[in-house]
Amino acid sequence: MKGLGWGIASLLLVSAAQLLMKWGMTHMPIFSLDQFVFSLVINNLLPFFIVCCGIAGYALSMACWFFALRQMPLNRAYSLLSLSYALVYLGAVCLPWFNENVHWLKSFGALFILFGVWLIHSKPGVHAEK
């Protein structure tokens, strides 16, 4: 299917961006915008860099999303983005530095998302004849 690669690239980038933002923000000290000074960035260079990478991932994801929308029907393209909920949950429970616990109800919800996307993509769309 045309555009599927762009949709998958957008999905992977947005999922990675969410995980990067989570890690970076949990390692940043609490501050307000009026206290934002250069020394705060220098003293927390790695978390700040990771947050910036997450923001860049969102931007690249959006660019891929634009290309996916040009080539795919909206109902199929948009369902791919819902996979990010399942991927982020899986990443959060599998990657040790997030310390997230597996919960059967959340896992069941992720499986429902996967099943729904499979239903949407399992059969080709029927186009009404004019």
Side-chain angles (χ1 to χ4, degrees):
M1 174 187 340
K2 286 179 82 174
L4 185 62
W6 288 113
I8 291 172
S10 178
L11 161 70
L12 294 175
L13 282 167
V14 77
S15 299
Q18 290 175 17
L19 292 169
L20 287 171
M21 293 282 288
K22 170 67 174 174
W23 186 90
M25 292 309 293
T26 57
H27 288 80
M28 293 278 266
I30 296 174
F31 64 92
S32 64
L33 291 178
D34 60 339
Q35 297 172 338
F36 190 79
V37 292
F38 188 69
S39 64
L40 180 71
V41 174
I42 296 300
N43 293 335
N44 298 288
L45 202 53
L46 181 61
F48 185 75
F49 176 73
I50 296 296
V51 169
C52 289
C53 287
I55 293 170
Y58 277 118
L60 289 172
S61 171
M62 187 59 63
C64 292
W65 180 242
F66 288 144
F67 289 116
L69 286 178
R70 290 179 58 106
Q71 299 175 356
M72 290 179 73
L74 181 60
N75 65 339
R76 288 179 179 247
Y78 197 70
S79 66
L80 284 177
L81 281 185
S82 65
L83 287 174
S84 71
Y85 296 114
L87 284 179
V88 170
Y89 171 70
L90 186 64
V93 298
C94 289
L95 297 173
W97 48 85
F98 288 114
N99 294 322
E100 301 262 345
N101 295 325
V102 177
H103 189 270
W104 69 271
L105 194 57
K106 292 177 185 177
S107 299
F108 201 57
L111 286 174
F112 265 126
I113 291 170
L114 295 175
F115 181 67
V117 173
W118 176 78
L119 283 176
I120 290 171
H121 288 268
S122 64
K123 297 195 180 201
V126 178
H127 300 287
E129 294 184 28
K130 296 181 181 180

